[in-house]
């Protein structure tokens, strides 16, 4: 259904409302919202903007009429469409559902409607305790979908604050979770200092579920059998880029099985594996048939939390030794994972208990094995006159305090700046990209930003080459983006914190002799960036220094592969003699 075929039929809606044919009216509304759930618009034509405005104006009017009652068959679907509707309203000239929510609050039988319209974009925060008391199941559903806004960026201060407040709600009464990645994965980006409690609750709920209680895992460990469990064993993916060397180090001494999570993927790298197994959802249920009976001595998860299957499986006992790594560099906080593998050069060892629920295994080095980018430097000539600041951050790493820092950089710059963002594909889902662009433009000025949508790696690196300087994100910093920037010999400022994910970039700068570009507070982050912007000679000296650095002997050295294998050998040996 193209935009010119959208069933925008105000007269039909009026007639259905007058006849009290609310089921048919809801079906028509759902059909239109589902169109925007499926189809992403990068630009909005005048015609489409008019259609969106007409739809939102009429939808909100009818939806908030006291006599328009939702049929029980539509309630769940409307709540599931909450994120799409919030993005669609943000694209329209209405921007938020604030006024209509205030109307609903005073109506009877209003809960389902409130849960449909209430999102982090609303400029007020409702007391949600009454929601739980009115209908726990519906509120549990809404609770997860509300969190989805983090996927589309938190540059908007209202979204940022509302999502953080959302994690402070008393969720201990929840008995079910939906859209697990919204809560489990998203909680770290919403507030990485307060993600332990929600993860513990999610893990506990999964472990107590009938699925886990009746999983029937039968394991007879063979000390030569190891399973690698991930959805992302694909060349170019961030998890693959930092772990492929580690897995290669195991192939001579172990019989390796790749357990691919999710639907089969033709792009999987299967070189080092004797067996490939698949675990995915079938008719809404996670099918464990391929691994229910297994002989794994150890299972290794490169990236727990990045998809729903990994979150659930991490709460099962598939093997006597269960290990995870830095593909998603955050503790599971209470799953059935025994060990978390990281690196001595990056971690603050004395913070292990506060940062991890697993036993921390520290390898010499980073705890990751960085691959050299598969890209030939092209010495791209600039096509823009502004000084270009690369901000290669996925949308979920974009937050208001970080953008406020860019505002200060922009306000104090004596040259024209262009901030170039790379938010990734997830930001485009459910039409989240245009609201993100609008939020960034409002804070930084439309002429000062450029948003690069999902591009092949080759194109991404070409665009990165045109940049003058790079910035790391905070509080969740980058890993592979630091590698890319250093490989391109681009000066990059990092912001160091107390967790691996905001320390790895700074440690790589130390390795190449650029400690001077490490900030430990906002003021330093801003001042270091301004120094690179204003002092062209200094900026060039940094690039020249990087040209002289042997990245093969620093960033891309591979002795950590041996350390990883030794750690795996030791874990299996200790278990065998226990």
């Amino acid at each position: 259904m193209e935009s010119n075929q959208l069933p925008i039929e105000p007269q039909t809606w009026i007639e259905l409302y007058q006849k009290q044919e609310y089921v048919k009216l809801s079906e028509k509304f759902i059909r239109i919202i589902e169109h925007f759930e499926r189809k992403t618009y990068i630009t909005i034509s005048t015609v489409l903007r008019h259609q969106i405005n007409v739809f939102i104006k009429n939808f909100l009017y009818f939806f908030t009429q006291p006599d328009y009652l939702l049929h029980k068959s539509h309630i769940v679907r409307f709540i599931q469409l909450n994120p799409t509707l919030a993005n669609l309203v943000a694209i329209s000239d209405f921007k938020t559902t604030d006024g209509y929510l205030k109307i609903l609050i005073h109506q009877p039988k209003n809960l389902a409607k409130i849960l449909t319209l209430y999102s982090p974009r609303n400029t007020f925060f409702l007391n949600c305790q009454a929601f739980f008391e009115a209908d726990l199941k519906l509120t549990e559903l809404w609770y997860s979908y509300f969190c989805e806004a983090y996927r589309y960026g938190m540059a908007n201060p209202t979204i940022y604050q509302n999502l953080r407040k959302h994690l402070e709600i008393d969720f201990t009464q929840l008995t079910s979770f939906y859209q697990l990645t919204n809560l489990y994965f998203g909680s770290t980006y919403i507030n990485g200092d307060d993600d332990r409690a929600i993860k513990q609750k999610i893990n506990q709920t999964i472990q107590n579920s009938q699925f886990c209680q009746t999983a029937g895992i039968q394991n007879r460990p063979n000390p030569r059998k190891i399973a690698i469990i991930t959805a992302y064993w694909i060349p170019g993916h961030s998890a693959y880029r930092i772990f492929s060397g580690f897995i290669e180090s195991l192939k001579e001494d172990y019989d390796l099985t790749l357990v691919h999570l999710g639907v089969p993927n033709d792009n999987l790298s299967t070189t080092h594996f004797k067996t490939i197994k698949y675990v995915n959802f079938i008719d809404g249920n996670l099918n464990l048939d391929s691994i229910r009976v297994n002989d794994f001595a150890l299972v290794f998860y490169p990236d727990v939390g990045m998809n729903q299957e990994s979150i659930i499986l991490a709460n099962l006992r598939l093997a006597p030794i269960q290990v995870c790594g830095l593909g998603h560099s955050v503790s599971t906080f209470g799953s059935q994972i025994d060990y978390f593998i990281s690196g001595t050069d990056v971690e603050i060892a004395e913070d292990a208990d506060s940062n991890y629920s697993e036993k921390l295994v520290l390898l010499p080095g980073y705890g990751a094995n960085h691959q050299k980018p598969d890209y030939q430097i092209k010495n791209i000539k600039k096509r823009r006159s502004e000084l270009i600041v690369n901000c290669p951050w996925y949308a979920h790493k974009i937050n208001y305090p970080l953008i406020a820092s860019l505002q200060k950089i922009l306000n104090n710059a004596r040259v024209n700046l262009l901030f170039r963002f790379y938010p990734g594909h997830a930001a485009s889902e459910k039409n989240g990209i245009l609201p993100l662009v609008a939020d960034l433009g409002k804070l930084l000025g439309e002429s000062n930003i450029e948003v690069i949508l999902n591009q092949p790696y080759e194109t991404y690196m070409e665009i990165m080459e045109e940049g003058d300087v790079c910035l790391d994100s905070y509080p969740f910093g980058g890993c592979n983006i630091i590698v890319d920037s250093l490989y391109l010999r681009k000066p990059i400022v990092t912001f160091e914190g107390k967790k691996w994910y905001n320390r790895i970039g700074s440690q790589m700068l130390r390795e190449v002799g650029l400690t001077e570009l490490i900030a430990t507070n906002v003021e330093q982050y801003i001042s270091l960036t301004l120094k690179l912007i204003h002092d062209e000679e200094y900026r060039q000296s940094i690039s020249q220094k990087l040209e002289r650095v042997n990245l093969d002997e620093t960033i891309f050295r591979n002795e950590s592969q041996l350390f990883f294998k030794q750690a795996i050998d030791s874990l299996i040996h200790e278990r065998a003699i226990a």
Side-chain angles (χ1 to χ4, degrees):
M1 182 169 59
E2 298 300 325
S3 61
N4 58 3
Q5 298 174 324
L6 281 173
I8 306 298
E9 308 164 314
Q11 188 58 44
T12 301
W13 302 337
I14 293 171
E15 292 171 0
L16 289 174
Y17 174 74
Q18 290 174 336
K19 295 176 183 178
Q20 297 185 342
E21 294 186 18
Y22 302 142
V23 170
K24 290 183 179 179
L25 183 56
S26 291
E27 288 172 351
K28 288 186 174 292
F29 288 156
I30 287 172
R31 182 186 177 196
I32 293 173
I33 302 170
E34 285 180 336
H35 167 77
F36 290 98
E37 182 182 48
R38 294 188 303 268
K39 181 176 175 59
T40 294
Y41 290 93
I42 306 305
T43 59
I44 298 292
S45 67
T46 302
V47 172
L48 181 56
R49 179 173 294 281
H50 174 71
Q51 289 179 322
I52 291 172
N53 280 330
V54 170
F55 170 69
I56 294 299
K57 178 178 70 174
N58 284 274
F59 169 75
L60 292 176
Y61 171 77
F62 290 119
F63 197 73
T64 54
Q65 294 304 307
D67 56 341
Y68 172 35
L69 301 179
L70 303 182
H71 190 270
K72 62 182 180 180
S73 63
H74 293 140
I75 288 174
V76 167
R77 188 64 185 126
F78 269 122
I79 295 173
Q80 290 172 333
L81 290 169
N82 175 299
T84 305
L85 184 59
N87 288 333
L88 191 56
V89 172
I91 292 170
S92 78
D93 290 327
F94 287 82
K95 301 308 176 188
T96 76
T97 60
D98 283 355
Y100 294 90
L101 264 177
K102 291 177 180 178
I103 292 172
L104 281 177
I105 289 171
H106 303 291
Q107 292 181 6
K109 299 181 180 180
N110 61 359
L111 180 62
K113 292 183 179 181
I114 289 175
L115 298 183
T116 301
L117 297 188
Y118 182 35
S119 81
R121 284 194 169 272
N122 291 111
T123 60
F124 50 85
F125 194 80
L126 295 176
N127 180 358
C128 305
Q129 190 59 40
F131 300 172
F132 292 108
E133 295 170 358
D135 192 316
L136 178 61
K137 291 303 178 185
L138 284 185
T139 304
E140 286 176 335
L141 179 68
W142 163 83
Y143 187 86
S144 295
Y145 278 93
F146 187 96
C147 272
E148 190 172 312
Y150 87 95
R151 294 167 59 87
Y152 316 117
M154 296 175 283
N156 184 314
T158 298
I159 294 175
Y160 175 74
Q161 293 296 340
N162 282 345
L163 283 173
R164 289 170 73 88
K165 290 179 183 177
H166 192 66
L167 289 187
E168 297 171 0
I169 294 173
D170 180 14
F171 51 76
T172 57
Q173 61 198 299
L174 301 185
T175 59
S176 301
F177 291 94
Y178 304 84
Q179 297 290 96
L180 278 181
T181 52
N182 285 346
L183 292 167
Y184 193 98
F185 181 80
S187 62
T188 300
Y189 299 91
I190 294 169
N191 188 347
D193 293 325
D194 199 26
D195 57 348
R196 179 186 285 263
I198 187 71
K199 283 189 172 184
Q200 287 176 329
K201 177 60 176 178
I202 292 172
N203 289 324
Q204 179 187 17
T205 301
I206 294 172
Q207 291 167 24
N208 292 338
S209 69
Q210 185 178 11
F211 172 82
C212 282
Q213 296 296 319
T214 60
I217 301 298
Q218 301 175 43
N219 172 259
R220 293 185 177 179
N222 179 334
R224 301 261 64 83
K225 296 289 186 73
I226 294 176
I228 311 303
I229 304 179
T230 177
Y232 303 109
W233 208 247
I234 302 167
H237 190 276
S238 57
Y240 180 88
R241 287 179 65 181
I242 66 172
F243 282 123
S244 60
F246 282 177
I247 303 309
E248 182 180 6
S249 72
L250 303 175
K251 67 178 182 178
E252 297 300 328
D253 291 345
Y254 294 97
D255 183 340
L256 301 180
T257 296
L258 174 63
V259 179
H260 174 70
L261 306 179
V263 296
N265 190 312
D266 293 336
N267 297 319
L268 294 181
S269 175
T270 61
T271 304
H272 306 310
F273 299 98
K274 182 177 180 179
T275 307
I276 314 296
K277 295 181 180 293
Y278 298 90
V279 173
N280 59 1
F281 282 93
I282 298 178
D283 297 327
N285 298 307
L286 190 59
N287 186 350
L288 300 176
D289 290 349
S290 66
I291 59 172
R292 197 182 309 276
V293 179
N294 72 74
D295 57 357
F296 307 139
L298 180 147
V299 295
F300 177 68
Y301 294 85
D303 44 53
V304 174
M306 295 182 72
N307 73 342
Q308 186 166 328
E309 292 90 340
S310 70
I311 297 168
I312 296 172
L313 289 185
N315 283 285
L316 290 173
R317 177 56 63 177
L318 299 176
I321 308 168
Q322 307 203 137
V323 186
C324 68
L326 293 160
H328 185 229
S329 50
V330 186
S331 173
T332 65
F333 287 130
S335 73
Q336 291 293 313
I337 302 295
D338 306 303
Y339 302 97
F340 197 109
I341 292 182
S342 189
T344 55
D345 291 354
V346 184
E347 294 283 359
I348 302 175
E350 53 266 34
D351 289 347
D353 289 343
S354 60
N355 287 343
Y356 298 95
S357 62
E358 306 82 6
K359 183 176 181 180
L360 189 59
V361 177
L362 292 176
L363 310 181
Y366 303 137
N369 180 223
H370 296 111
Q371 280 189 341
K372 183 182 293 186
D374 183 18
Y375 176 77
Q376 184 66 41
I377 295 177
K378 300 177 182 179
N379 297 311
I380 301 291
K381 292 185 178 180
K382 284 184 65 175
R383 292 159 291 183
R384 302 288 298 249
S385 60
E386 305 97 330
L387 187 139
I388 299 174
V389 181
N390 282 330
C391 302
W393 314 330
Y394 282 123
H396 50 261
K397 296 184 179 182
I398 297 174
N399 56 72
Y400 176 66
L402 187 58
I403 302 305
S405 297
L406 299 193
Q407 277 184 308
K408 292 179 181 178
I409 291 168
L410 181 66
N411 292 339
N412 287 279
R414 299 190 297 271
V415 299
N416 292 331
L417 299 182
L418 179 71
F419 294 103
R420 190 169 269 169
F421 296 91
Y422 307 73
H425 71 277
S428 298
E429 296 174 359
K430 302 183 181 180
N431 277 283
I433 191 64
L434 287 176
L436 172 60
V437 172
D439 289 339
L440 291 171
K442 182 177 181 180
L443 293 169
L444 299 174
E446 294 180 4
S447 63
N448 299 317
I449 67 166
E450 183 178 14
V451 177
I452 306 298
L453 299 182
N454 203 38
Q455 296 289 340
Y457 185 70
E458 181 84 7
T459 305
Y460 155 76
M461 288 293 276
E462 288 177 356
I463 299 171
M464 284 277 285
E465 259 205 83
E466 191 186 7
D468 295 290
V469 299
C470 300
L471 296 179
D472 194 14
S473 54
Y474 187 86
F476 205 106
C479 177
N480 288 305
I481 69 161
I482 308 293
V483 169
D484 293 339
S485 299
L486 295 178
Y487 180 78
L488 294 172
R489 273 61 179 184
K490 299 295 179 183
I492 183 165
V493 176
T494 62
F495 191 151
E496 188 170 56
K498 295 185 177 181
K499 299 187 179 183
W500 192 93
Y501 56 71
N502 51 36
R503 295 179 61 81
I504 178 59
S506 298
Q507 183 56 31
M508 282 192 273
L509 288 188
R510 291 188 181 95
E511 292 282 341
V512 298
L514 289 178
T515 305
E516 63 199 278
L517 294 182
I518 299 172
T520 56
N521 56 55
V522 174
E523 291 74 21
Q524 289 179 356
Y525 186 73
I526 294 169
S527 64
L528 287 174
T529 303
L530 287 170
K531 182 177 181 180
L532 284 173
I533 288 171
H534 291 143
D535 193 336
E536 182 177 359
E537 184 177 343
Y538 176 66
R539 188 169 68 246
Q540 290 178 350
S541 72
I542 297 293
S543 296
Q544 291 167 359
K545 189 172 185 177
L546 282 172
E547 290 284 356
R548 296 191 296 269
V549 171
N550 188 331
L551 295 179
D552 291 334
E553 294 181 358
T554 51
I555 304 303
F556 304 126
R557 66 185 189 277
N558 59 15
E559 66 264 25
S560 57
Q561 296 179 20
L562 173 62
F563 301 140
F564 178 80
K565 183 179 182 300
Q566 288 174 343
I568 297 298
D569 291 343
S570 177
L571 291 175
I572 292 177
H573 178 70
E574 288 176 5
R575 177 72 185 185
I577 64 175

